[in-house]
Amino acid sequence: MQKTWKIQKYTSVTSTNDLAKETAEDNVVIVADMQTAGRGRRANKWISQDGNLFFSQVLTAQTTVSNLAFVSSLSLAEAIYHFDNKIDITIKWPNDILINKRKVAGILIENTPKNKAVIGIGVNLISNPSGDETSYLSANLQAEGLKLSKEQLLETYLKFFDINYADCLRDFGLIRAKWLKFASYINQKIKVKRQDRIDEGIFKGIDEQGLLLLEQKDKITAIAVAEVFF
Ligand code: BTN
């Protein structure tokens, strides 16, 4: 079913995820021009530069956080692709958006104490952190030749999200199939970091739960939580 998202705009917040968790009202999208304490995954900070897009959606999710990671990353990749189908846009498992192999957007999904899900998304629209500010290479859409307003991208993302969320509730396999078309490094060598170990192998895609499939010698391991490197 199509959701009606209520968009609430702020000039400056600590983190749109924090405000979304406090508000915790279904179908609200908190958008801010600035974040003073933007957060990333694994306790990293999200460097929030002026002119980029920062927003968080609140919903009572009828699916898992893991499935939402695939729904939201797929929807964002589709939204960007919608504006430029020549762009080399891929998704690094589970939910980093890359352009030409450099990170252009990140997603942080959290639960509220009242069991709602908050999907927080940061997109580098017009600028990105320099190489020494992050442990990965980053990019921005404008420098890649795609000039989009915050409103254009958010509206298009939400349209794709509604379609993909409904598909996910019907059958996660539909999302899996579409997500795999955008997946970075399929059938290529990757490094997978889990706690204190790093494994190298071939990325064989994801299983029916979204677990990463890593092939080493003749064995395939399904991995739930890890960081992927190339
Ligand atoms: C990551 O790749 O580490 C996830 C980054 C998520 C950043 C967004 S920006 C909007 C929302 N508010 C936050 O504090 N974080 C998310």
Side-chain angles (χ1 to χ4, degrees):
M1 210 210 338
Q2 194 82 6
K3 287 189 187 300
T4 311
W5 295 98
K6 288 170 269 179
I7 298 185
Q8 297 180 357
K9 291 187 181 172
Y10 294 82
T11 313
S12 180
V13 298
T14 53
S15 147
T16 57
N17 264 36
D18 291 346
L19 198 58
K21 280 161 95 175
E22 279 164 32
T23 314
E25 195 189 318
D26 270 339
N27 303 339
V28 159
V29 182
I30 308 274
V31 192
D33 288 332
M34 271 305 300
Q35 293 190 122
T36 54
R39 294 185 288 109
R41 297 170 73 214
R42 290 178 288 275
N44 290 324
K45 63 177 181 195
W46 183 255
I47 298 168
S48 305
Q49 296 174 332
D50 204 14
N52 289 334
L53 175 62
F54 318 107
F55 68 93
S56 302
Q57 304 166 254
V58 184
L59 68 158
T60 299
Q62 293 159 283
T63 186
T64 60
V65 164
S66 165
N67 282 0
L68 287 177
F70 292 99
V71 168
S72 54
S73 57
L74 168 66
S75 305
L76 188 56
E78 286 181 327
I80 294 170
Y81 188 78
H82 167 85
F83 290 106
D84 183 353
N85 63 11
K86 301 278 184 296
I87 208 158
D88 174 23
I89 182 142
T90 57
I91 309 172
K92 178 169 86 92
W93 184 88
N95 60 5
D96 281 348
I97 307 295
L98 310 182
I99 287 189
N100 295 326
K101 308 286 185 285
R102 291 179 295 139
K103 182 159 165 173
V104 77
I107 302 179
L108 174 67
I109 305 179
E110 299 178 302
N111 281 316
T112 72
K114 287 195 178 149
N115 260 338
K116 295 192 190 291
V118 169
I119 304 172
I121 301 190
V123 186
N124 296 333
L125 282 186
I126 64 163
S127 69
N128 56 279
S130 63
D132 48 8
E133 288 176 290
T134 54
S135 58
Y136 51 82
L137 292 174
S138 63
N140 75 76
L141 289 179
Q142 186 168 285
E144 300 299 322
L146 184 55
K147 205 165 180 227
L148 291 179
S149 70
K150 295 178 190 179
E151 290 75 17
Q152 264 178 315
L153 184 56
L154 177 58
E155 190 186 315
T156 308
Y157 162 79
L158 291 172
K159 281 191 185 139
F160 279 108
F161 182 90
D162 287 344
I163 296 166
N164 289 323
Y165 183 67
D167 278 355
C168 178
L169 298 188
R170 260 203 311 272
D171 174 8
F172 178 71
L174 299 168
I175 300 305
R176 178 174 176 268
K178 287 196 268 181
W179 188 95
L180 282 170
K181 290 196 182 138
F182 282 103
S184 311
Y185 289 88
I186 283 280
N187 289 324
Q188 293 178 41
K189 204 183 261 181
I190 57 168
K191 291 189 189 117
V192 174
K193 186 173 173 212
R194 280 174 287 174
Q195 280 138 7
D196 51 358
R197 60 183 281 188
I198 296 182
D199 290 295
E200 245 184 64
I202 304 293
F203 179 39
K204 300 304 285 183
I206 56 174
D207 71 6
E208 305 71 36
Q209 271 98 51
L211 301 190
L212 178 151
L213 299 174
L214 186 72
E215 184 181 68
Q216 291 168 299
K217 303 209 173 92
D218 284 332
K219 183 183 80 170
I220 293 188
T221 313
I223 297 171
V225 182
E227 196 177 346
V228 173
F229 299 92
F230 309 122

